[in-house]
C-alpha cells in the first residue's frame, strides 16, 4: 500500500520577480508598459521600465544635439510614468524603477534584461513597416530565447 500526499500550497513564489518593459514613447510601447504594469502588480514583481537611448553617429557628425534630445525623451517618459503611478495610487500599487541604456533597442534591452536579472521581457509590437522584412526588436528578443517575451500590439 502506498501512502499518497496531497501537494503543499506554495504562496506566490513561482512567479517572476523582475519584469522588464521597453518603452520609447510610441503608442505600442506605452500599451506594453500598461500591460507589464498589470503583470507586475498581480505577481508582486518589480517593474523595470527601460528606455534605450539611441546612439546616432550620423547626428553627432552633423553637429545635432542628439544626447540632449534623447535625455529629454527619457525625462518625458519618467514624467508620464510618475503621473500614471500617482493616478493609480491607492487603487493599484506597483513597485517600479526607470532605467536608461544606450545603444540600439535590441542590444540595449538584452543588456538591461541581463543586468536587471529579468524573469520576463515585455515590448510593444513594431510600428515600422520595414521590420516585416528585417525583423523587429520583439522577434529578435524571442529568437534569443533567454527570457519569456510578451509582445503587446
Amino acid at each position: 500500500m502506498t501512502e499518497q500526499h496531497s501537494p503543499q500550497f506554495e504562496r506566490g513564489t513561482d512567479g517572476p520577480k523582475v519584469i522588464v518593459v521597453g518603452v520609447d514613447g510610441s503608442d505600442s510601447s506605452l500599451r506594453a508598459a500598461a500591460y507589464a504594469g498589470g503583470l507586475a502588480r498581480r505577481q508582486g514583481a518589480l517593474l523595470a521600465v527601460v528606455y534605450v537611448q539611441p546612439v546616432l553617429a550620423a547626428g553627432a557628425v552633423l553637429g545635432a544635439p542628439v544626447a540632449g534630445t534623447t535625455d529629454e525623451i527619457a525625462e518625458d517618459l519618467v514624467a508620464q510614468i510618475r503621473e500614471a503611478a500617482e493616478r493609480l495610487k491607492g487603487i493599484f500599487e506597483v513597485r517600479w524603477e526607470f532605467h536608461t541604456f544606450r545603444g540600439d533597442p535590441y542590444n540595449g534591452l538584452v543588456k538591461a534584461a541581463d543586468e536587471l536579472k529579468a524573469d520576463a521581457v515585455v515590448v510593444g509590437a513594431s510600428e515600422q513597416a520595414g521590420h516585416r522584412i528585417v525583423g523587429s526588436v520583439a522577434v529578435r528578443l524571442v529568437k534569443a530565447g533567454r527570457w519569456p517575451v510578451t509582445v503587446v500590439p
Side-chain angles (χ1 to χ4, degrees), residues 55-70:
V55 176
L56 303 173
V61 169
L62 297 173
V66 174
T69 302
T70 59

Side-chain angles (χ1 to χ4, degrees), residues 8 16 60 70 83 104 128 140 144 147 150-151:
Q8 287 216 330
T70 59
E83 182 182 311
D104 69 275
Q128 297 179 10
R140 292 173 66 196
W147 327 265
T150 301
V151 183

